[in-house]
Coordinates of all heavy atoms in Angstrom, one line a residue:
Chain P
R256 N 53.4 46.4 95.9 CA 53.3 47.2 97.1 C 53.0 48.7 96.7 O 52.3 49.3 97.4 CB 54.6 47.1 97.9 CG 54.8 48.1 99.0 CD 53.9 47.9 100.1 NE 54.1 48.8 101.2 CZ 53.9 50.1 101.2 NH1 53.3 50.7 100.2 NH2 54.1 50.9 102.3
L257 N 53.5 49.1 95.6 CA 53.4 50.5 95.3 C 52.1 50.8 94.6 O 51.4 51.8 94.8 CB 54.5 51.0 94.4 CG 55.8 51.4 95.0 CD1 56.8 51.7 93.9 CD2 55.6 52.7 95.9
F258 N 51.7 50.0 93.7 CA 50.6 50.3 92.8 C 49.5 49.2 93.0 O 49.7 48.1 93.4 CB 51.0 50.4 91.3 CG 52.3 51.2 91.1 CD1 53.4 50.7 90.6 CD2 52.3 52.5 91.5 CE1 54.5 51.4 90.4 CE2 53.4 53.3 91.4 CZ 54.6 52.7 90.8
Q259 N 48.3 49.7 92.6 CA 47.2 48.7 92.6 C 47.2 47.9 91.4 O 46.6 48.2 90.4 CB 45.9 49.5 92.7 CG 45.7 50.3 94.0 CD 44.5 51.2 94.0 OE1 43.9 51.4 93.0 NE2 44.2 51.8 95.2
L260 N 47.8 46.7 91.5 CA 48.0 45.9 90.3 C 47.3 44.5 90.4 O 47.4 43.7 89.6 CB 49.5 45.7 89.9 CG 50.3 46.9 89.6 CD1 51.7 46.6 89.4 CD2 49.7 47.6 88.4
G261 N 46.6 44.4 91.5 CA 45.8 43.2 91.7 C 46.6 41.9 91.7 O 47.7 41.8 92.3
M262 N 46.2 41.0 90.9 CA 46.8 39.7 90.8 C 48.0 39.7 89.8 O 48.8 38.7 89.8 CB 45.8 38.6 90.3 CG 44.7 38.3 91.2 SD 45.4 37.4 92.7 CE 45.9 35.8 91.9
F263 N 48.2 40.7 89.0 CA 49.1 40.7 87.9 C 50.6 40.4 88.4 O 51.2 39.5 87.8 CB 49.1 42.1 87.2 CG 50.1 42.2 86.1 CD1 49.9 41.5 84.9 CD2 51.3 43.0 86.2 CE1 50.8 41.6 83.9 CE2 52.2 43.0 85.2 CZ 52.0 42.4 84.0
P264 N 51.1 41.0 89.4 CA 52.5 40.7 89.8 C 52.6 39.2 90.3 O 53.6 38.6 89.9 CB 52.7 41.6 91.0 CG 51.7 42.7 90.9 CD 50.5 42.1 90.3
W265 N 51.6 38.7 90.9 CA 51.6 37.3 91.4 C 51.5 36.3 90.2 O 52.2 35.3 90.2 CB 50.5 37.1 92.4 CG 50.5 38.2 93.5 CD1 49.7 39.2 93.5 CD2 51.5 38.3 94.5 NE1 50.1 40.0 94.6 CE2 51.2 39.5 95.2 CE3 52.6 37.6 95.0 CZ2 51.9 40.0 96.3 CZ3 53.3 38.0 96.1 CH2 52.9 39.2 96.7
I266 N 50.7 36.6 89.3 CA 50.5 35.8 88.1 C 51.9 35.7 87.4 O 52.4 34.7 86.9 CB 49.4 36.3 87.2 CG1 48.1 36.0 87.9 CG2 49.5 35.6 85.8 CD1 46.9 36.6 87.1
M267 N 52.5 36.9 87.2 CA 53.7 37.0 86.5 C 54.9 36.3 87.2 O 55.7 35.6 86.5 CB 54.1 38.4 86.1 CG 53.2 39.1 85.2 SD 52.6 38.2 83.8 CE 54.1 38.1 82.8
M268 N 54.9 36.4 88.5 CA 56.0 35.7 89.3 C 55.8 34.2 89.1 O 56.8 33.4 89.0 CB 55.9 36.1 90.7 CG 56.6 37.4 91.0 SD 56.7 37.8 92.8 CE 55.1 38.4 93.1
A269 N 54.6 33.7 89.1 CA 54.3 32.3 88.9 C 54.6 31.9 87.5 O 55.3 30.9 87.2 CB 52.9 32.0 89.3
A270 N 54.1 32.7 86.5 CA 54.2 32.3 85.1 C 55.7 32.3 84.7 O 56.1 31.5 83.8 CB 53.4 33.3 84.3
A271 N 56.5 33.2 85.3 CA 57.9 33.2 84.8 C 58.7 32.0 85.1 O 59.8 31.8 84.6 CB 58.6 34.5 85.4
T272 N 58.2 31.1 86.0 CA 58.9 29.9 86.3 C 59.0 29.0 85.0 O 59.8 28.1 85.0 CB 58.2 29.1 87.4 OG1 56.9 28.8 87.0 CG2 58.2 29.9 88.7
I273 N 58.1 29.3 84.1 CA 58.1 28.5 82.8 C 59.5 28.6 82.1 O 59.8 27.8 81.2 CB 56.9 28.8 81.9 CG1 56.7 27.7 80.9 CG2 57.1 30.1 81.2 CD1 56.2 26.4 81.6
F274 N 60.2 29.7 82.4 CA 61.5 29.9 81.7 C 62.6 29.1 82.4 O 63.7 29.0 81.8 CB 61.9 31.4 81.7 CG 60.9 32.2 80.8 CD1 60.0 33.0 81.4 CD2 61.1 32.2 79.5 CE1 59.1 33.7 80.6 CE2 60.2 32.9 78.6 CZ 59.2 33.7 79.2
F275 N 62.3 28.5 83.5 CA 63.3 27.7 84.2 C 63.6 26.5 83.3 O 62.8 26.1 82.4 CB 62.9 27.3 85.5 CG 62.8 28.4 86.5 CD1 62.3 28.1 87.8 CD2 63.0 29.7 86.2 CE1 62.2 29.2 88.8 CE2 62.9 30.7 87.1 CZ 62.5 30.4 88.4
D276 N 64.6 25.8 83.6 CA 64.9 24.5 83.0 C 63.7 23.6 83.2 O 63.0 23.6 84.2 CB 66.1 23.9 83.8 CG 66.5 22.6 83.1 OD1 65.9 21.6 83.3 OD2 67.5 22.7 82.4
A277 N 63.4 22.9 82.1 CA 62.1 22.1 82.1 C 62.0 21.1 83.2 O 60.9 20.8 83.6 CB 62.0 21.4 80.7
S278 N 63.1 20.7 83.8 CA 63.0 19.7 84.9 C 63.2 20.3 86.3 O 63.3 19.6 87.2 CB 64.2 18.7 84.7 OG 63.9 17.9 83.5
W279 N 63.2 21.7 86.4 CA 63.5 22.3 87.6 C 62.7 21.8 88.8 O 63.2 21.6 89.9 CB 63.4 23.8 87.5 CG 62.0 24.4 87.5 CD1 61.3 24.6 86.4 CD2 61.2 24.8 88.6 NE1 60.1 25.2 86.7 CE2 60.0 25.3 88.1 CE3 61.4 24.8 90.0 CZ2 59.0 25.7 88.9 CZ3 60.4 25.2 90.8 CH2 59.2 25.7 90.3
P280 N 61.4 21.4 88.6 CA 60.6 21.0 89.8 C 61.2 19.7 90.4 O 61.0 19.5 91.6 CB 59.2 20.8 89.3 CG 59.1 21.6 88.0 CD 60.5 21.5 87.4
R281 N 61.8 18.9 89.5 CA 62.3 17.6 90.0 C 63.4 17.8 91.0 O 63.7 16.9 91.9 CB 62.7 16.7 88.9 CG 61.6 16.4 87.9 CD 62.0 15.4 86.9 NE 61.0 15.3 85.8 CZ 59.9 14.6 85.8 NH1 59.6 13.9 86.9 NH2 59.1 14.6 84.8
R282 N 64.1 18.9 90.9 CA 65.2 19.2 91.8 C 64.6 19.6 93.2 O 65.3 19.5 94.2 CB 66.1 20.2 91.3 CG 66.8 19.8 90.0 CD 67.9 20.7 89.6 NE 68.2 20.3 88.2 CZ 67.9 21.1 87.2 NH1 67.4 22.3 87.4 NH2 68.2 20.7 85.9
L283 N 63.4 20.1 93.2 CA 62.8 20.6 94.4 C 62.2 19.4 95.1 O 62.2 19.3 96.4 CB 61.8 21.7 94.2 CG 62.3 23.0 93.8 CD1 61.1 24.0 93.7 CD2 63.3 23.6 94.8
V284 N 61.5 18.5 94.4 CA 60.8 17.4 94.9 C 61.6 16.2 94.8 O 61.7 15.6 93.7 CB 59.4 17.3 94.2 CG1 58.6 16.2 94.9 CG2 58.7 18.6 94.2
R285 N 62.2 15.8 95.9 CA 63.1 14.6 95.9 C 62.2 13.4 95.6 O 61.1 13.2 96.1 CB 63.8 14.4 97.2 CG 64.9 15.4 97.4 CD 65.6 15.1 98.7 NE 66.7 16.1 98.9 CZ 67.9 15.9 98.3 NH1 68.1 14.9 97.5 NH2 68.8 16.8 98.5
G286 N 62.7 12.6 94.7 CA 61.9 11.4 94.4 C 61.0 11.5 93.2 O 60.5 10.5 92.6
W287 N 60.8 12.8 92.7 CA 60.0 13.0 91.5 C 61.0 13.1 90.4 O 61.4 14.1 90.0 CB 59.2 14.3 91.7 CG 58.2 14.4 90.5 CD1 57.7 13.4 89.7 CD2 57.7 15.6 90.0 NE1 56.9 13.9 88.7 CE2 56.8 15.3 88.9 CE3 57.8 17.0 90.3 CZ2 56.2 16.3 88.1 CZ3 57.1 17.9 89.6 CH2 56.3 17.6 88.5
R288 N 61.3 11.9 89.9 CA 62.3 11.9 88.8 C 61.6 11.4 87.6 O 60.6 10.7 87.6 CB 63.4 10.8 89.2 CG 64.2 11.3 90.3 CD 65.2 10.2 90.7 NE 66.2 10.0 89.7 CZ 67.3 10.7 89.5 NH1 67.6 11.7 90.3 NH2 68.1 10.4 88.5
A289 N 62.1 11.9 86.5 CA 61.6 11.5 85.2 C 61.7 10.0 85.0 O 62.8 9.4 85.3 CB 62.3 12.2 84.1
T290 N 60.7 9.4 84.5 CA 60.8 8.0 84.2 C 60.9 7.8 82.7 O 60.6 8.7 81.9 CB 59.6 7.2 84.6 OG1 58.4 7.9 84.1 CG2 59.5 7.2 86.2
A291 N 61.4 6.7 82.3 CA 61.6 6.5 80.8 C 60.3 6.4 80.1 O 59.3 5.8 80.6 CB 62.3 5.1 80.6
P292 N 60.1 7.2 79.1 CA 58.8 7.2 78.4 C 58.5 5.8 77.7 O 59.4 5.2 77.2 CB 59.0 8.3 77.4 CG 60.4 8.4 77.2 CD 61.1 8.0 78.5
S293 N 57.3 5.4 77.8 CA 56.9 4.2 77.2 C 56.8 4.4 75.7 O 56.3 5.5 75.3 CB 55.6 3.7 77.7 OG 55.6 3.7 79.1

Side-chain angles (χ1 to χ4, degrees):
Chain P
R256 167 67 175 74
L257 275 176
F258 311 121
Q259 294 172 350
L260 297 177
M262 290 291 292
F263 180 71
W265 310 100
I266 291 173
M267 295 314 292
M268 281 187 276
T272 60
I273 199 65
F274 291 103
F275 294 179
D276 185 281
S278 295
W279 74 269
R281 297 188 193 277
R282 297 192 194 108
L283 288 184
V284 184
R285 286 185 179 279
W287 186 24
R288 293 175 65 82
T290 53
S293 310

